[in-house]
Amino acid sequence: MLPLLLAWLHTVNDLFGNFLTPLLPKLMAHFGVGLGTVGLLVSVYSLTGSLLQPFAGLVADRLDRRLLAALGPVLVALGMGSLGLWPRFEALLLVLGLAGLGSALFHASGASLVGEFAPRERKGFWLSFFGSAGYLGLSLGPIVALATAGAFGLTGLLWLTPLALLPALLLLRLPPVRRQERPASLRDFRRVFRGDVARLWGMATLRSLVFMSFSTTLPYWYAQRGIPDAYTALSLSAYSFSATLGAFLGGTLSDRMGRKAVLVGTLTFGLPLYLALLLFPPENPLYLVLLGVTGALMNAGIPVAVALAQELEPRQTATVSGLLMGFTWGFAGLFYAPIGHLVEAYGVIPVLLALGGLILPAWLLARSVGEPRKMGA
């Protein structure tokens, strides 16, 4: 089944995509540069992989999405697998820019194909399954990268690239998948971005900014309180695991309860839970339970928003998938640097409490989105 194959590719794509950060110290030694310089690699990959997703979707809506979904993970695997092969830092910057483009092409094309080929009554389930597969790859990436580089050096990463080549070749054996309607254009993109999909994007971006800021600031906050590193790691793992579970359950529930109901409901309960995360002492063991429930609830809406956007714009499913996935996180990520400075200046709790206010306009945007009519209605 095509959705299963695409979920496999999503796991592989995001597994390779999460090689870079844990290997930064080894890359510093390899190139003889500092953290600030080698951090450019993360910026280039993140920006091309996230912010280019809607434009990659525009391309995918014009071409064979099967081909692009196969090409994307191969570019990511070759880019990350060759980290130790480049003698010049500038060459690796270019390679990772292409790898990021590959990730953008895959996410937009893959989510579009899953939504199109999944049964309509199970679309939420399959998009959730697709999203959870990516979370699985993200969680395994650092383990695989460090184990391989530790045993064989950076050049040993290249031996992992068949993990992407095999499912890509299987996907290419399927018939071409190209739209029969008029190809999407920039004019169509501007039209989409003014409507309900734009409201969904605004909702998702605000929600992402709040919870990205919280999870990224958590280690800094724990360190200020003198909490041990082991407990910090456990907390982050609990949050990541619950996010994976929430993403899987959210789409499944939306098949039964409706997309909009799940989006509005998760935000309704999300605000009090978020405030509880800031006011409840994190040293209490019950905090891990609260952290897990909140992480699951707030990530449950991600595949739901993608499914709803595809139903609202069935002729541009790749474009809107890219808009609601990587572009959301990439745009939210651009704002974290100034937020980090505010946290240093005014403290963790005041800044994160103020950010929690963004959940209210996100809730209003979710309420204002229209749910498409069912076929035959």
Side-chain angles (χ1 to χ4, degrees):
M1 182 183 288
L2 183 62
L4 282 173
L5 184 55
L6 290 166
W8 180 8
L9 275 166
H10 197 186
T11 300
V12 172
N13 184 92
D14 287 12
L15 179 137
F16 279 100
N18 211 18
F19 275 13
L20 193 54
T21 300
L23 294 176
L24 287 182
K26 294 183 182 296
L27 290 170
M28 290 169 59
H30 178 75
F31 289 107
V33 297
L35 181 60
T37 301
V38 81
L40 288 173
L41 298 173
V42 178
S43 298
V44 167
Y45 179 77
S46 298
L47 288 174
T48 54
S50 298
L51 296 183
L52 290 183
Q53 279 198 32
F55 306 103
L58 199 64
V59 173
D61 277 328
R62 301 174 68 91
L63 301 176
D64 182 359
R65 287 164 292 154
R66 173 194 57 95
L67 175 61
L68 297 178
L71 175 64
V74 172
L75 288 176
V76 177
L78 291 175
M80 296 300 177
S82 65
L83 287 176
L85 302 182
W86 303 99
R88 293 185 61 84
F89 183 79
E90 295 81 3
L92 184 54
L93 278 175
L94 177 60
V95 168
L96 289 185
L98 292 173
L101 175 61
S103 183
L105 288 171
F106 169 74
H107 281 98
S109 302
S112 170
L113 288 171
V114 170
E116 183 169 332
F117 283 86
R120 181 178 174 84
E121 68 277 5
R122 302 292 306 279
K123 177 182 283 191
F125 167 81
W126 281 111
L127 280 170
S128 296
F129 187 82
F130 176 77
S132 299
Y135 279 117
L136 176 63
L138 286 173
S139 63
L140 293 175
I143 300 171
V144 174
L146 290 172
T148 303
F152 306 106
L154 288 173
T155 56
L157 298 172
L158 192 63
W159 292 101
L160 298 174
T161 53
L163 293 174
L165 295 176
L166 177 59
L169 289 173
L170 291 175
L171 182 59
L172 289 176
R173 290 177 62 86
L174 300 178
V177 182
R178 182 179 295 179
R179 294 217 173 269
Q180 301 300 317
E181 304 95 346
R182 176 180 61 85
S185 66
L186 287 174
R187 180 179 298 177
D188 295 311
F189 179 79
R190 290 193 296 268
R191 175 186 58 80
V192 166
F193 204 64
R194 287 196 299 265
D196 276 337
V197 174
R199 298 185 185 94
L200 279 173
W201 175 80
M203 177 274 300
T205 301
L206 290 173
R207 182 185 58 199
S208 298
L209 179 58
V210 173
F211 283 90
M212 177 188 295
S213 299
F214 171 79
S215 60
T216 308
T217 307
L218 185 142
Y220 175 81
W221 181 35
Y222 276 20
Q224 280 190 328
R225 298 177 69 101
I227 294 175
D229 289 344
Y231 189 79
T232 301
L234 181 61
S235 297
L236 291 173
S237 296
Y239 185 84
S240 298
F241 177 77
S242 64
T244 304
L245 182 62
F248 178 73
L249 293 177
T252 304
L253 288 174
S254 74
D255 287 334
R256 297 172 176 268
M257 302 170 59
R259 317 282 188 227
K260 184 174 175 179
V262 172
L263 285 178
V264 174
T266 54
L267 288 166
T268 300
F269 292 103
L271 179 56
L273 286 173
Y274 174 79
L275 296 177
L277 284 176
L278 301 178
L279 301 177
F280 195 73
E283 295 87 352
N284 192 310
L286 291 177
Y287 191 83
L288 292 176
V289 178
L290 177 63
L291 190 65
V293 172
T294 308
L297 188 70
M298 295 313 298
N299 282 277
I302 294 175
V304 179
V306 176
L308 180 53
Q310 290 185 2
E311 291 168 350
L312 289 166
E313 292 290 342
R315 295 183 179 180
Q316 286 184 256
T317 55
T319 303
V320 298
S321 296
L323 190 65
L324 267 294
M325 294 173 70
F327 192 68
T328 293
W329 286 96
F331 199 83
L334 290 176
F335 287 95
Y336 183 71
I339 288 172
H341 290 300
L342 290 174
V343 167
E344 290 179 333
Y346 299 103
V348 172
I349 300 301
V351 173
L352 293 184
L353 280 173
L355 280 174
L358 297 177
I359 297 177
L360 292 175
W363 182 84
L364 291 172
L365 285 170
R367 290 266 300 176
S368 68
V369 173
E371 194 152 10
R373 293 181 180 179
K374 295 183 178 180
M375 294 179 65

